[in-house]
Amino acid sequence: MTNRTRRPLTLRDVSEASGVSEMTVSRVLRNKGDVSEATRQRVQEAAKRLGYVPNKIAGALASQRVNLVAVIIPSLGNMVFPEVLSGISDVLAGTSLQPVVGVTDYLPEKEEKVLFEMLSWRPSGVIIAGIEHTEASRAMLRQAGCPVVEIMDVDGEPVDSCVGISHRRAGRKMAEAIIDAGYRRIGFLGTKMPLDHRARKRFEGFTRTLAKAGIEIADQEFYSGGSALAKGREMTEAMLKRTPDLDFLYYSNDMIGAGGLLYLIEKGIDIPGKIGLAGFNGVELLDGLPRRLATMDACRREIGERAAQILVDRHQGAGATEGQTIELTPTLDYGDTLRRSS
Amino acid sequence: MTNRTRRPLTLRDVSEASGVSEMTVSRVLRNKGDVSEATRQRVQEAAKRLGYVPNKIAGALASQRVNLVAVIIPSLGNMVFPEVLSGISDVLAGTSLQPVVGVTDYLPEKEEKVLFEMLSWRPSGVIIAGIEHTEASRAMLRQAGCPVVEIMDVDGEPVDSCVGISHRRAGRKMAEAIIDAGYRRIGFLGTKMPLDHRARKRFEGFTRTLAKAGIEIADQEFYSGGSALAKGREMTEAMLKRTPDLDFLYYSNDMIGAGGLLYLIEKGIDIPGKIGLAGFNGVELLDGLPRRLATMDACRREIGERAAQILVDRHQGAGATEGQTIELTPTLDYGDTLRRSS
DNA sequence: TACGAACTTGTTAGACCTAACAGAAGCTCT
DNA sequence: AGAGCTTCTGTTAGGTCTAACAAGTTCGTA
């Protein structure tokens, strides 16, 4: 049906095929400006017949508009960022904006590279995870000439706008709930990632609050690599062997928490009586476990939505405020593994 | 430090700042062509000082080269596609090519839209999940003027190249293993997704092979939405209540399989003696379960790598063959939930 | 000294599209 | 009839960069 030429089609081909100027074809294809119904029909028919696909490269250069939003996140390998992404996509779906994602693997140098790469496409906005960046990255963001939204975390100085939760506060809140429930011998299990600032801040908020109550972390262990679920299991076993009198385990993410939970259930240990557990993130996965792990929802979807909405508003020029910070409040879910204080 | 002008910088700004022509600046910035060391230094210094970020839009238009690879997948919401993606990224990381991903949500119309969108950026290659597409999508792929690799599935007629496994064969292989192990009353649990062709093909291969051995699926149930782990649990419970004499459950994916496994362990049922279980995909998650679910690895990472490699080869023009199909062979992992035949 | 090669830089002409304006044709209203 | 609209289409001039070629410079050598 469609002809099999190798030369890519241009507006000119469509204009010749339909006997009007390139400009008119452009107007039809973008639904912009007045074109008579008859002409519109003819042009559309020709474009479809030829299989013409507009060249956005040229369009973007000419119009100085690239309806792309750069979304820069550390990883796709756990459920947290895909969920943020889906919040973003949903909001952008109703607009002319389109997300393009880049992954940094939690490496600042890679973030710098990805950011540079992205900015060289002159996007209409940037959504970037975290509030800690290299000085070069911050300079690029400042110079970008488009709205920038830093997400996930609000503990720090954003370049422009910011949507997230306070991880320090989240750590604090969890510590308070644990203390109120009467637990005293507390172990911490987390990832060995000095560059995961959010995990670090939660840990800081957590330990600081315990310290104020005169409690010190009784044991801690960090892992890297491998299946999080398996690691949670192994680390829990190891830690309880080492420090058998622990009465609470706080995991830096739900996945390792789930591993620990499964291990303890298997061992027939009384949860949350003899030992309490909590994770972080509120991943959907937890719904299917034999018992629901206590966790704290990080508002991931909403973060994505709000961040995207900021860009949409500012794109439309609607007196949208520059530099606003939106702090969301994570909710604590006691699940079945954390005693209630009362 | 950097000046805070709103007007975006161009080559001209750098050329004026360093006193050479735009062309020379371009050469320095792309590391192409001979430029004296002295000039190179001066230009680089100026570019850095101004904070210049090249405009790829213009570059791509002028050079007729866009080093982007469109990667089109149905979803980011389970572990399978991120793993394919990471295979792709790893291979492309060593080249000038860069992946850009689009998500279709298993919707053919959305696939068409995403594909159109992607092609309008004139990518250097397309990697697209699945081998079933609308006629319009197939036409676009044929016309794309760049290499196309369809991935995950080889049961069908690819437009160009193809890397994947045969899901029919995978279903058959699993059925054979189950029959060999002596199971006879078999239940199937899957997703309610008429558009997930790969799951459908596995199911077909599975039932057909059972039929040849004179066995019919004793019960089946399909779900949609919700936490897969929880669904697996619920469906397993419901099915065993309805059809208590089942001696095997085949799940269309590992996540619901894991849910079923946890449920059965909880009930203290003898696995794989009284009842056997198997899933599909070989997700890393399974490593952390109390028992390892039988599964079949779908070679996801390797599929991503091979697909990317094809594009790289063809991009380099290396007498790379057009239209090749690479069929990988999934391996059956008996885990702890499927008796061995011998 | 003149010639060619090697190296370095500049000039010109696009790549394909859109913004802005210009012009033609038809209409309404006084 | 002519002014003033509206509706439709075309023309021109970019947007920013790169390919291809042209031209200058330096150097070694016959």
Side-chain angles (χ1 to χ4, degrees):
Chain A
M1 161 189 112
T2 37
N3 60 350
R4 199 109 171 58
T5 48
R6 275 299 117 222
R7 188 179 56 70
L9 295 165
T10 72
L11 269 191
R12 150 147 278 114
D13 296 289
V14 183
S15 96
E16 279 168 4
S18 52
V20 297
S21 72
E22 297 177 36
M23 194 59 224
T24 302
V25 176
S26 171
R27 280 197 270 253
V28 171
L29 266 24
R30 286 179 300 147
N31 256 323
K32 207 146 193 199
D34 298 319
V35 179
S36 73
E37 194 48 35
T39 310
R40 176 180 304 281
Q41 295 282 342
R42 231 160 7 111
V43 169
Q44 264 164 350
E45 185 278 324
K48 177 161 267 178
R49 180 164 46 78
L50 297 175
Y52 174 69
V53 177
N55 185 331
K56 287 214 179 172
I57 302 274
L61 184 60
S63 67
Q64 300 284 74
R65 249 179 284 125
V66 184
N67 288 330
L68 255 30
V69 171
V71 180
I72 300 177
I73 56 179
S75 155
L76 285 170
N78 54 43
M79 266 334 40
V80 2
F81 296 104
E83 200 163 332
V84 176
L85 266 187
S86 108
I88 294 173
S89 311
D90 286 358
V91 171
L92 295 188
T95 73
S96 57
L97 260 26
Q98 239 199 310
V100 181
V101 354
V103 174
T104 68
D105 295 325
Y106 287 100
L107 268 24
E109 322 84 65
K110 187 147 184 220
E111 178 179 273
E112 221 173 282
K113 255 183 53 184
V114 168
L115 183 57
F116 185 83
E117 207 67 37
M118 292 283 203
L119 289 181
S120 74
W121 291 103
R122 305 284 132 103
S124 298
V126 176
I127 295 178
I128 185 167
I131 203 163
E132 273 83 20
H133 314 288
T134 65
E135 201 32 65
S137 292
R138 288 179 64 91
M140 281 192 268
L141 288 171
R142 251 179 275 120
Q143 291 269 318
C146 67
V148 173
V149 187
E150 287 166 280
I151 58 170
M152 312 302 287
D153 189 1
V154 299
D155 294 327
E157 276 303 317
V159 168
D160 178 356
S161 297
C162 184
V163 181
I165 64 170
S166 163
H167 287 263
R168 267 195 247 283
R169 211 191 303 283
R172 163 142 59 88
K173 216 158 145 185
M174 184 57 88
E176 286 165 356
I178 292 170
I179 296 170
D180 284 357
Y183 298 106
R184 289 296 176 270
R185 295 285 295 162
I186 297 162
F188 180 86
L189 302 91
T191 45
K192 194 184 294 167
M193 298 203 63
L195 297 170
D196 184 344
H197 299 283
R198 292 177 287 288
R200 198 201 68 221
K201 289 174 184 173
R202 286 196 298 278
F203 184 58
E204 285 171 9
F206 187 71
T207 50
R208 201 160 302 172
T209 309
L210 291 186
K212 271 195 211 141
I215 303 174
E216 215 174 310
I217 293 277
D219 196 354
Q220 58 189 55
E221 185 160 345
F222 301 87
Y223 79 102
S224 65
S227 154
L229 204 63
K231 285 289 174 188
R233 167 181 298 271
E234 294 163 20
M235 287 163 72
T236 303
E237 180 168 13
M239 185 174 286
L240 286 178
K241 211 149 270 173
R242 196 167 54 218
T243 319
D245 67 331
L246 291 177
D247 64 3
F248 201 92
L249 299 175
Y250 181 37
Y251 296 88
S252 79
N253 70 62
D254 281 345
M255 212 59 173
I256 55 172
L261 174 60
L262 288 174
Y263 169 77
L264 292 170
I265 290 175
E266 216 172 308
K267 290 283 160 196
I269 292 172
D270 170 24
I271 306 170
K274 175 137 173 40
I275 194 162
L277 303 174
F280 183 83
N281 255 338
V283 301
E284 198 185 44
L285 169 97
L286 298 184
D287 295 344
L289 296 177
R291 305 222 181 159
R292 284 180 34 259
L293 181 70
T295 190
M296 194 167 265
D297 163 47
C299 312
R300 303 188 298 289
R301 181 153 244 294
E302 190 180 358
I303 286 175
E305 290 168 353
R306 301 289 287 270
Q309 195 57 55
I310 288 179
L311 292 186
V312 170
D313 291 347
R314 287 179 59 180
H315 190 62
Q316 256 124 51
T321 36
E322 204 167 317
Q324 64 181 311
T325 289
I326 298 179
E327 177 175 347
L328 302 176
T329 310
T331 53
L332 175 60
D333 178 353
Y334 284 82
D336 306 319
T337 66
L338 172 54
R339 283 197 303 258
R340 297 176 115 95
S341 48
S342 64
Chain B
M1 162 188 100
T2 37
N3 61 348
R4 197 106 173 60
T5 48
R6 274 298 117 225
R7 188 179 56 72
L9 295 166
T10 72
L11 270 191
R12 152 147 277 114
D13 296 291
V14 183
S15 95
E16 280 169 3
S18 53
V20 297
S21 72
E22 298 177 36
M23 195 60 226
T24 301
V25 176
S26 171
R27 280 196 270 253
V28 171
L29 265 23
R30 285 179 302 147
N31 255 324
K32 208 147 192 197
D34 299 319
V35 179
S36 72
E37 193 47 36
T39 310
R40 177 179 306 280
Q41 296 282 343
R42 222 148 27 98
V43 169
Q44 264 163 350
E45 185 278 323
K48 175 160 269 179
R49 180 164 47 77
L50 296 175
Y52 175 69
V53 177
N55 185 333
K56 286 215 179 170
I57 302 274
L61 183 61
S63 67
Q64 300 284 77
R65 250 178 286 123
V66 183
N67 288 331
L68 255 28
V69 171
V71 180
I72 300 177
I73 56 179
S75 153
L76 284 171
N78 53 44
M79 267 332 40
V80 4
F81 296 104
E83 201 163 333
V84 175
L85 266 187
S86 106
I88 294 173
S89 311
D90 286 358
V91 170
L92 296 188
T95 74
S96 58
L97 261 26
Q98 237 200 313
V100 182
V101 354
V103 173
T104 69
D105 295 325
Y106 287 101
L107 268 24
E109 323 84 66
K110 185 145 184 220
E111 179 180 272
E112 223 172 280
K113 254 183 53 184
V114 169
L115 182 57
F116 185 84
E117 208 67 37
M118 292 283 202
L119 289 181
S120 74
W121 291 103
R122 305 284 133 102
S124 297
V126 175
I127 295 178
I128 184 166
I131 203 165
E132 273 85 18
H133 312 289
T134 64
E135 200 32 64
S137 292
R138 288 179 65 89
M140 281 193 268
L141 288 171
R142 252 181 273 119
Q143 292 269 320
C146 68
V148 173
V149 187
E150 288 165 279
I151 59 169
M152 312 301 286
D153 189 2
V154 300
D155 295 326
E157 276 302 318
V159 168
D160 179 356
S161 298
C162 184
V163 181
I165 64 170
S166 163
H167 287 263
R168 267 195 248 284
R169 210 191 303 283
R172 163 141 61 85
K173 215 158 147 187
M174 185 56 89
E176 286 166 357
I178 292 170
I179 295 168
D180 285 357
Y183 297 106
R184 288 298 177 268
R185 296 284 296 162
I186 297 163
F188 179 86
L189 301 92
T191 45
K192 192 184 295 166
M193 297 204 63
L195 297 171
D196 184 344
H197 298 283
R198 294 178 287 287
R200 198 201 68 223
K201 288 173 185 175
R202 286 198 298 279
F203 185 56
E204 285 172 10
F206 187 71
T207 50
R208 201 161 298 171
T209 308
L210 291 185
K212 272 196 209 139
I215 302 174
E216 214 174 309
I217 293 277
D219 195 354
Q220 59 189 53
E221 185 160 344
F222 301 86
Y223 79 101
S224 65
S227 155
L229 203 63
K231 285 288 174 188
R233 165 181 298 270
E234 293 163 19
M235 287 164 74
T236 303
E237 179 167 14
M239 184 175 285
L240 286 178
K241 211 147 267 175
R242 195 167 55 218
T243 320
D245 67 331
L246 292 177
D247 64 2
F248 200 93
L249 299 175
Y250 181 37
Y251 296 87
S252 78
N253 70 62
D254 281 346
M255 212 59 175
I256 55 173
L261 174 61
L262 288 175
Y263 169 76
L264 293 170
I265 290 175
E266 216 172 306
K267 289 284 162 196
I269 292 171
D270 170 26
I271 306 170
K274 175 136 173 41
I275 194 162
L277 304 175
F280 181 83
N281 256 337
V283 300
E284 197 186 47
L285 169 95
L286 298 184
D287 294 344
L289 296 177
R291 304 219 182 164
R292 282 182 33 260
L293 182 70
T295 191
M296 193 167 265
D297 161 48
C299 311
R300 302 188 300 289
R301 182 154 244 293
E302 189 180 359
I303 286 176
E305 290 168 354
R306 302 289 287 270
Q309 196 56 56
I310 289 180
L311 292 186
V312 171
D313 292 346
R314 288 178 60 180
H315 190 63
Q316 256 122 51
T321 38
E322 205 168 318
Q324 65 181 312
T325 289
I326 299 179
E327 178 175 347
L328 303 176
T329 311
T331 54
L332 176 60
D333 177 353
Y334 284 82
D336 307 318
T337 67
L338 172 53
R339 283 196 303 259
R340 301 179 111 95
S341 49
S342 64

